[in-house]
C-alpha cells in the first residue's frame, strides 16, 4: 500500500508563488511515476504535471508550461509542484497521484484513471 499526503496549499495573491509537497509512504519510491492534478469547483479534474521514473521525463499541460515545475527528491520520498505567476483561475484542490512499477508514456501519465494511489488534496486559492 502507498499513502500520499499533500501539503503546502493556502491563500496567495495573483502573481505570487506556492510550492506544494507530496510525501509518499512505500517502497521503491524512485520507481513510481508521479503526477499532479487539480479540480476546481464545478469542473472536471485535470492534469497539471507528471514525472516518469523510467526516463525521468516531465510532462505539463501546455497552459502551465513556464509557470509550474514538477520535481522529486527520492531520498525524501517526496514530489513537489512549484507554482509561479499564479492566477485566480489556478484556484483548485490539488492532488498528487502515484503509479508504482509500471511502464510510463506521456499519454498515460496525463490520464487520471491510470493512477492507482491518490492523496487527499490540498486547497490552493489565488485572489485577484
Amino acid at each position: 500500500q502507498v499513502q500520499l499526503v499533500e501539503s503546502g496549499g493556502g491563500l496567495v495573491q495573483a502573481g505570487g508563488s506556492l510550492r506544494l509537497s507530496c510525501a509518499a509512504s512505500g517502497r521503491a519510491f524512485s520507481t513510481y511515476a508521479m503526477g499532479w492534478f487539480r479540480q476546481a469547483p464545478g469542473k472536471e479534474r485535470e492534469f497539471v504535471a507528471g514525472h516518469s521514473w523510467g526516463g525521468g521525463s516531465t510532462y505539463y499541460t501546455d497552459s502551465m508550461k513556464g509557470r509550474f515545475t514538477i520535481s522529486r527528491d527520492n531520498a525524501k520520498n517526496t514530489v513537489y509542484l512549484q507554482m509561479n505567476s499564479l492566477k485566480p483561475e489556478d484556484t483548485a484542490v490539488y492532488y498528487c497521484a502515484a503509479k508504482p512499477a509500471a511502464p510510463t508514456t506521456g499519454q498515460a501519465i496525463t490520464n487520471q484513471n491510470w493512477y492507482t494511489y491518490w492523496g487527499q488534496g490540498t486547497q490552493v486559492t489565488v485572489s485577484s
Side-chain angles (χ1 to χ4, degrees):
Q1 295 288 328
V2 177
Q3 296 180 351
L4 306 174
V5 180
E6 302 98 334
S7 63
L11 175 65
V12 65
Q13 297 291 322
S17 299
L18 285 174
R19 189 183 73 164
L20 307 183
S21 299
C22 176
S25 177
R27 69 176 67 89
F29 175 77
S30 63
T31 71
Y32 299 179
M34 301 294 298
W36 285 98
F37 292 77
R38 70 184 185 185
Q39 187 167 25
K43 300 189 67 176
E44 295 181 347
R45 186 175 299 183
E46 65 175 339
F47 174 77
V48 176
H51 189 285
S52 66
W53 69 270
S57 299
T58 57
Y59 307 87
Y60 299 94
T61 299
D62 286 342
S63 64
M64 301 171 193
K65 289 182 177 178
R67 296 195 301 124
F68 291 7
T69 303
I70 188 171
S71 62
R72 65 196 298 162
D73 186 338
N74 290 329
K76 297 181 179 180
N77 278 22
T78 301
V79 64
Y80 304 96
L81 183 68
Q82 178 66 46
M83 305 185 294
N84 299 325
S85 301
L86 285 164
K87 306 173 182 179
E89 50 262 45
D90 294 320
T91 295
V93 176
Y94 285 72
Y95 301 89
C96 68
K99 179 72 170 182
T104 306
T105 66
Q107 187 173 28
I109 206 166
T110 66
N111 182 0
Q112 64 177 323
N113 296 317
W114 180 74
Y115 291 86
T116 53
Y117 295 95
W118 290 85
Q120 189 67 37
T122 186
Q123 176 71 47
V124 171
T125 303
V126 184
S127 62
S128 60

